[in-house]
Amino acid sequence: QLDPSDLPLGGNGVSEEKGDCNSTGTNDAESNKIKEDGDAVFQIKVALPHDPYETQVMVSMQDQVQDLRQSIVELPGTAQYSCFHLELNGERINDFIELSEINGLTQDSTLRLFEDPYTEKDARMHLIRVREIIGAAGDRCDMAHGISAGLSLHDLIVPGGDTGIASAFNGAAGVAASSGNKNPLAGYDFDAPPSLSKLLPSALAVLPKTVKHIGASMWNPPPFHFRQKGHLLYVQVTTNEGDQFQITSHVSGFFVNKCSNSKFDPFPRPAPKNAAAHSLLTLIGIISPSFNNAFASLLEFNSRRDPLVHFQFSSALASSPWLVNPQKLSLSAHQPDLTRSQETYLLSGIGNTENLRDWNEEIQSTKELPRNSVRERVFRERLMAKTVTEFTEAALRGAVAIARGEVPPLNPTESQDAQIFVFNNIFYSFGADGMGTFTTEGGDEAARVAIEKDVIGVKIVNQLDIPDLATPGTILVDYLGKRLVAQSIVPGIFKHREPEDHQVDYGGVEGRDVVAENEAFVPVFSQLSKLLRVKRHSVWDKEGKRHVLEGSVETKGLLGTDGRKYILDLYRLTPLDIRWLEEYWCDMVPAEKSKERNYPHRMASLRLELVEAFWRSKMTEHVKQEIIKQKSIQETKEQKSIDQGAVDEAKIKEKDTTVKNVDETESGAKPERLDFSLDLNPDVFCGQAPQTDEEKEEWANDEKRVRQVCDFLHENAIPGMMQDLKDGEVGFPMDGRSLGQLMHKRGINIRYLGKLATLAEEQGLRLQALKALSIQEMIARGFKHLANRHLKGLPIPFGPACLAHLLNCLLGAGLNTSPSAQLDEDLQFLYQDADYSFARVTVDTMKAEIENQVQLRYRYQLEEGWMSNIWHIQLLREISLKLGLQMVAKDYRFSADVDTAKGEAAPVTNGTTAHQVVNGHTNGTHGKKKRKNRDTSPASVSGSHNGNSNESFTPEDIANIVPIIKDSSAKSLVADEALEAGRLSILQNNKELGQELLVESLSLHEQIYGVLHPEVARVYHQLAMLYYQLEEKAAAVELAHKAVIISERTLGIDSNETILSYLNLALFLHGYGNTESALSCMRHALELWKIIYGLKHPDSITTINNAAVMLQSLKLYHESRQWFEASLQVCEEVSGEKSVNTATLCFQLAQALALDHDPNAAVQRMRDSYGIFLSKLGADDRNTKEAESWLEQLTHNAVSIAKHAKDLKVRRLRDALLTPRVTLATRPQPQTGQSSTELTNGPREQNGSIALDSRSIDELMKYIEEGDKTPKKSPTPPKKRTGQRRQS
C-alpha cells in the first residue's frame, strides 16, 4: 500500500549518475548498487552532538544534500540545529551536490553532524525559525496575502486527517451493526438557506504558550567594536515565569548577557546565572523551567493535525478566503509583538540589501540551464518555479504599494495613466492608454484588455520553452480598480538610441507605421510561429514598403544589452474574431456609435485553444481525404492491369487477393506522405494595405481562412459544448470560475456568455442551470466593471464605503430601496479633489448600469425583474472573488420581510411567498440563534449587524481587499509528460504501467512545485482515483486526504475543485469501510455546494444519490429513502419528469421504499419507472423488461403483505433487498469539463441510461423464498460500478 510520503523523489531516467564513485573498499559494490537503483528509498543514520545523539532520515539517491539538511531541520528531535555541516568518514560533504555523488555512501553509512559558527545572516534566520517552531511568530500583516490565507478546514471535517483509515470497520466493511449508529447527515435540511458559517473554522483549542515574548532586542545592531568580538545580534526573551533575559548571539552560539532595558553590557552573566548553548532553542529550555513541557505540548498538538495543514508555501501563493471570521477582526485578536515590525530587518538585514535582486538575470539564467537529461530538466524546472514564485510575490507587493500611492513615479509630470514606476528592480505601468497607442482600438478599454492578453501570451511562450527566446518576468495585478502590469527590467529597454536607430529590432516600431527587420530574430520567431499556427506573411509600413515577418506586426523583438533576444507585446498571437467585430464594432467615436455596434474595444481575438481545435478538425479531414485518394489510385491501377489483360491467370488471382485486402483495410489505410499545412495570418482585418494583385489575392485567402475559424467557433465549438453538457458527458460547471475554465478549454471567449444563455434557454430543462450560471456571471462581471470605474480615482480610505454602497444598491435593494453612502465628512475635507460619484448611485441607476454593461459586453438582454430573482449569497461570492473582497462572515439580510429578532417571515401581503426559493434554497432567511459571551469589539460575532440596520452592508463588513493576480508561469513539461503518458496507458487499459507513470509524475510534481501547489493536488486526485479502481482503497483514501488539503489551501476552501475532492474522498472512505467519516465529508461538500450554487445543480443528483447509498449501507433505511426522494425531486426539475434518468431514480427509490416497509409506494414508483422506460426506450429494451419484472413481483408482494400483515414475507422481502441491484452503486464525481470516459471505462447502454442488473426476477424470488435455508454471507463492501451511473 502506497504512502505518498515514501514515494521516490525522482523519475525514469533521473537515476542517471552525474559523477563516478572512485572510492575503494568493501562498500563499493553496495554503494554502486544503490546508485544504480536511484529510485530506492532507504534510511540513513545521522550522529548528533547532543541528545538524542542519533536520528534516522529517509532519503533516496536523487535527493540533494540540501534536502537531507532540510529533513534534519524539520524533525522534532533535531529542530534546534540550523547552522551545521555533515561529514562522512571524516570528509566534509558539499551541501550543493546529490547524495549519489558522495563517495562511499551506502545504506549502512552514518553521517556525522557538526555545528558551525554563525554568521549574522545565520543568526537572523535562526531567530526567525525559533519563533516559528515555538509558536511565537503570530500572524503577519503582509499586503500580498489576505486574512487567514492558506486556510484549511480538513481537520475539522475529518479530525486527525487519517481518521478515515484508523477507524475503518473490521470485517463487513461499510455495514454498521445497527441503525443506532451516529448519522452525520441527521437533521440536514435541503430547504434551509446557505450558512456562511460553514466556510469558517470552528473555535480551535488555544495553542500551548511556550514564551511570553521573543524578538530582537532594542540594543541592535551591535556596535562596531563588539562586532569585532563576534557579536552578531541581540535577542530579548520573556519567559512564561515572567523573567526577562537579554541574550547575545555570538559566532559560537547564544549566551545570556548582563544587559537590561536601561544598561548595555553584552558580556556573559557570571555563574550561577550564566547559560549558553549553540542553539537558541536549547538556551530557552535552560533558562525557562516550563519551556520544555510547553514545547512538548505544542508538538503534540501539531502532531494531531495533518502536516500539510501548516506546511510553508514554496512555489505557489496561498488562497485568501472571501469570508473571514469576525473573531479575527476583534481588538483582542491583534496581539502585541514588537518583532513583527522588525521582520524586514531580520529577513533582509540592515538596509534591506539582501532583497535587491536582478530579477531578469535570475529568470533568464535559470531558463538557460542545461536540459539534456531528465535530471537536468527537473533541476531547471524546480529552480524556475521557485524563482518565478518569488518574483510574483515581490512584484505583487510593489504593485499594491504603487496602487496605494506609496511609490513615486519616474515621470511625475505625465498624466497618472502614463506614469511608470521602478520598485525593487521591477518595472510597473498602468493598464490604461496613457500614451494614445490604442486610440483607434478602443482607448483605455483596449489597453486594459491588451495587457491581459500580453500576460497570457507570455505564459504561452514560456510553456513552449523555445531555446534562445527570452521573455521578461510578467504578472498582472488588479487592485482597488487599478490594473498594473509588472515586468522584470529588460537590459537596454531604457537605452537611448540614435535617431536613425529603431527602439525595437523586429516588428512594428511605432504602431504599424514603421516596421523593423532583423535576420537574427527570424529563426526563433519562426519556431514560435510554427508552434502557434502563425503564417509567415507580409506587412506594409506607412510608405507602402513591404516587410516579411514571422509573427504579428504588433509582436516586437528586442536585442537586449545582455545579448539575449527578447519578445515583447504578445497580445496579438491569434487573429481577430472578425465575425464578432463586424457585428458589434464600428470605427467611430463612442458618442456616435449605434447601440447595436458599440462594443467597447477592437481587441476581440480568437483563443489559441480554438485555433488548435480547428487545426485538428482540418487535419482529420485531410487525412481522410488522403486515404480515400490513395485507395482510389490503387484501385485504378489494378483496374488498368485487369483491362490490359497482359498478365496470366496466376497474376490475376494474386491481384484479386490484393484488391480484397485493400477493401478490408480501408479504414486503416494511411497516406504515404502527409502534406498538410494550416497557418493563420494574425494581421488580417488590421488595416494592412497589399499593393500588388498577387498580394491582394493572398491576403483575401488569409482573410477567408480566419473567417472559417470564426465559423467553426459558432458552428462547432459552442454547439459541441452545449450538447456535451446537455447529454451529461462532461462535469457541469458550479460557479463562474469553473464555467470560464470550461469555455476557455473549448476555445470559447467569455464575451459569448450571452450566446450561451440564449442557447441554454432553447435547449431544455437540464441547461437551465447553465443559463442561470451565465446570467449570474454576466451580472457579476458587469458589477466589477462598474465598481472598478468608481474605485480607480478614489482615495484608499473610501474604498470600503464605496463598495458597501454599491453592494447595497445591487444586493440590498430588497431591504432598502434607497440606500445612502456612509462617508466620513472629515476625510472628505482632506480629499477635496476626489471623485465621490459613487455616492449618487441608486438602485435604479445600478439596475440600468448593469443592464447596459451586460448588453454592451455580452449582447444579452436581462429579463424584466431580474434584480428580484438574483441569488444573493452566490452573487456576493462571485463579486468578492472578482474584486478581492474579504467579507465579514455573518448572516446578511437581503429582504425586509424577515424579523431579525425571531428569524421568522413577516405576513405575506403581495400574494407571493415571503421567501422565494431560488436554486434549491431560500435567500434572506435566518434561523433562531442564541448569542452568548458576545464580543463587544466593533467587529462583533457572526449574525450581528453594525451601523445602519436598514442596509445589508456597511463599510465595516469589508474586512480587507486583496489583489487579484494573473501570472505567466509555465507548467512543468517533464512532469506533464509523465502524467500524460500515465493517462494514455490507462486509456489503453494498461493500468499497471499507468500507475507507475502516475506515481512517477507525482514524484516529479512534488520535486518541481513543492507539495502545496494546485497541479500537485490534481495529480493526487487522479492517482487516488486510479488506486480506488485497482481496489487499493487505503492508498486511495490517503491520497484523497492530501488532495483535499492542498486544494483548500491553494484554490480556496469553497472552490469547485475542493468540493469535488471532498465528494470523492467521501466515496473512497465509504468504499474502505468508514461510512460515517464519508458522510461527514458529504455533508460538508453539500453545505459548500449550497453556498456556491445551490442543491438544484445537475451534478448534485449523483451526490445526493451517493449519500442515500451510504445511509443504506448503515441500514438507515428511512433516512436513505428521504435522500433518494430528494435526488428524484432534483432530477425531475433538472431533467424533466419523463426523462430516462428520472425513470432510473424511480427504480432506485422503489427499492428503497420496499426496504422502508412501504410496499404500496414502492409499486407506484416502479410503475412510474416502467412507464417512462416503455415510452422512451420501447418494450424490447432491457431496462424496460427489468422494470416490468420488478413491478409484477412488487405488486404481488404488496398484495401478499396486505393480506398477511404478520407473515414472514415482510422480513424476507426486506432481507432479500439488502443488496439491491442499482442502489448500492456509488460513483466518483467528475471534474468540471471532464468527460465520463476520462473518469471511468465501464459499459453503458446505447441510450446512455444506467445499465440495470442482469439477474432475473425468478432468481431473486428464489432467494427470497429460500433465504432462511442457506447460510448468509457477510456483506462485502460495495464495489464502484464504473460506467453504470452518470450525471443526471
Side-chain angles (χ1 to χ4, degrees), residues 731-747:
F732 212 94
M734 295 184 188
D735 59 357
R737 180 184 297 175
S738 56
L739 175 59
Q741 290 172 346
L742 176 60
M743 292 175 65
H744 288 164
K745 184 178 180 181
R746 298 297 185 100

Side-chain angles (χ1 to χ4, degrees), residues 186-222:
Y188 186 83
D189 187 355
F190 288 94
D191 297 324
S195 174
L196 297 183
S197 63
K198 297 299 179 184
L199 281 181
L200 303 175
S202 58
L204 298 175
V206 179
L207 291 175
K209 196 169 183 64
T210 54
V211 295
K212 289 185 177 180
H213 171 74
I214 176 173
S217 169
M218 67 180 71
W219 298 111
N220 281 301

Side-chain angles (χ1 to χ4, degrees), residues 9 44 396 398 517 558 591 596 865 1122 1206 1244 1258:
L9 295 177
I44 194 169
L396 182 57
E517 293 183 81
L558 176 67
E596 291 75 21
Q1122 294 173 339
K1206 297 181 180 180
R1244 283 181 179 268
D1258 295 334

Side-chain angles (χ1 to χ4, degrees), residues 409-421 430 433-436:
L410 296 180
N411 52 344
T413 59
E414 301 284 349
S415 64
Q416 182 177 356
D417 289 343
Q419 289 177 350
I420 58 176
F421 306 81
F430 286 109
D433 191 23
M435 305 300 293

Side-chain angles (χ1 to χ4, degrees), residues 939-1059:
S940 55
V941 297
S942 176
S944 65
H945 299 276
N946 303 312
N948 189 351
S949 60
N950 279 332
E951 294 183 352
S952 300
F953 302 95
T954 66
E956 288 76 18
D957 292 330
I958 300 173
N960 187 32
I961 303 175
V962 297
I964 304 297
I965 70 166
K966 295 182 180 179
D967 61 34
S968 57
S969 60
K971 295 169 62 176
S972 166
L973 293 177
V974 63
D976 277 355
E977 287 169 6
L979 181 61
E980 288 303 320
R983 288 173 177 168
L984 183 61
S985 298
I986 293 173
L987 290 177
Q988 295 173 347
N989 209 26
N990 191 348
K991 291 190 175 181
E992 290 186 5
L993 178 60
Q995 177 182 352
E996 293 179 6
L997 290 171
L998 285 179
V999 171
E1000 187 66 36
S1001 175
L1002 173 61
S1003 174
L1004 293 172
H1005 275 85
E1006 288 179 333
Q1007 284 188 84
I1008 293 168
Y1009 295 119
V1011 179
L1012 294 179
H1013 195 280
E1015 294 299 325
V1016 178
R1018 294 177 185 121
V1019 178
Y1020 272 131
H1021 175 82
Q1022 295 184 35
L1023 197 55
M1025 188 71 66
L1026 174 63
Y1027 278 126
Y1028 186 77
Q1029 294 171 354
L1030 297 176
E1031 299 296 326
E1032 297 186 29
K1033 296 179 180 177
V1037 169
E1038 178 67 20
L1039 290 169
H1041 277 298
K1042 297 181 182 298
V1044 165
I1045 298 173
I1046 300 172
S1047 296
E1048 283 185 321
R1049 300 197 65 195
T1050 59
L1051 299 171
I1053 55 176
D1054 63 341
S1055 73
N1056 66 300
E1057 291 189 44
T1058 299
I1059 293 176

Side-chain angles (χ1 to χ4, degrees), residues 106 186 205 311 325 499 555 644 679 695 776 985 1169:
T106 67
F311 268 14
N325 196 320
T555 303
Q644 289 174 357
D679 296 327
E695 292 170 351
Q776 177 176 278
S985 298
S1169 176

